[in-house]
Amino acid sequence: TCLILNVQDIFSSKSYKRKPLDILLPEKTEIKKSVYKILVVDDSKTTRILLNNILINNGYQVKVASDGDEALQILKEEQFDLITTDYDMPKITGLELVKKLRSQDDTKETPIVVLSSYEIATLEEQFKNYNIENYIHKNHFDQEHFIEIINNSLKNKKPVYDR
């Protein structure tokens, strides 16, 4: 036995309320645009794309950098409300980047979230004197938890546009 659907009958039936093309188009959802700007620093293209998409879909303005050097160049031109950085990167490690950021007036108070596949206890020990907002273990990455950390980090922060 084989089930055969007559698509024309489905579209013309009284119970079908959408236009035929609507079935192919996603529902339009309005994303509330945030004034907060986030810099994502990670040498993994996959991770940069993933974080960029998650943040944009949650209304944030995002710029990405593939390593610490590129991030420092971007930060010479623009200010950001929050920075996420990988720990293990070529050229400048996440720790070295954070040390540089904390030594500069423009970024010494900027919330920083470190992402890594290293154990968080190890990272906390290395970063303990650098006022890190939070750590996220890449092997246990959860999108909702990530956005919760970002939202909480920015909750009481005045956006760079308002400064």
Side-chain angles (χ1 to χ4, degrees):
T1 306
C2 178
L3 177 64
I4 299 174
L5 296 175
N6 184 329
V7 177
Q8 189 64 32
D9 283 349
I10 292 171
F11 287 144
S12 62
S13 77
K14 291 179 183 176
S15 62
Y16 183 77
K17 294 181 172 113
R18 296 173 74 186
K19 296 175 187 166
L21 279 180
D22 289 347
I23 209 165
L24 303 174
L25 301 172
E27 295 285 333
K28 289 185 180 178
T29 55
E30 197 66 34
I31 296 174
K32 185 179 177 190
K33 190 78 166 169
S34 172
V35 294
Y36 291 110
K37 290 174 57 177
I38 298 174
L39 178 62
V40 173
V41 186
D42 202 299
D43 62 315
S44 164
K45 185 175 183 178
T46 304
T47 302
R48 285 193 313 271
I49 291 169
L50 173 72
L51 297 180
N52 180 64
N53 290 343
I54 291 169
L55 291 166
I56 286 173
N57 286 333
N58 281 275
Y60 291 106
Q61 297 179 45
V62 183
K63 194 153 208 173
V64 296
S66 60
D67 59 46
D69 284 337
E70 185 180 359
L72 292 170
Q73 288 301 315
I74 290 170
L75 287 161
K76 286 180 182 176
E77 310 273 326
E78 295 180 60
Q79 285 188 311
F80 291 86
D81 297 293
L82 184 137
I83 299 167
T84 70
T85 183
D86 186 13
Y87 171 72
D88 190 20
M89 295 186 292
K91 300 179 186 174
I92 298 177
T93 68
L95 179 60
E96 293 168 329
L97 176 60
V98 168
K99 286 179 182 180
K100 287 183 181 196
L101 295 175
R102 291 302 184 231
S103 71
Q104 299 173 359
D105 288 338
D106 288 353
T107 55
K108 68 181 175 189
E109 298 296 324
T110 303
I112 298 174
V113 176
V114 176
L115 290 92
S116 180
S117 53
Y118 288 92
E119 289 302 315
I120 289 177
T122 304
L123 295 177
E124 286 177 332
E125 182 61 32
Q126 290 184 17
F127 285 92
K128 71 180 174 186
N129 298 319
Y130 297 102
N131 191 26
I132 298 302
E133 194 70 24
N134 217 316
Y135 305 92
I136 298 174
H137 198 283
K138 284 185 175 181
N139 296 345
H140 307 290
F141 184 84
D142 175 82
Q143 179 176 329
E144 288 179 25
H145 180 65
F146 174 66
I147 288 300
E148 183 180 315
I149 287 171
I150 300 299
N151 291 341
N152 287 337
S153 299
L154 295 171
K155 187 175 8 185
N156 299 316
K157 186 167 180 14
K158 191 174 185 178
V160 291
Y161 290 129
D162 292 346
R163 288 186 220 148

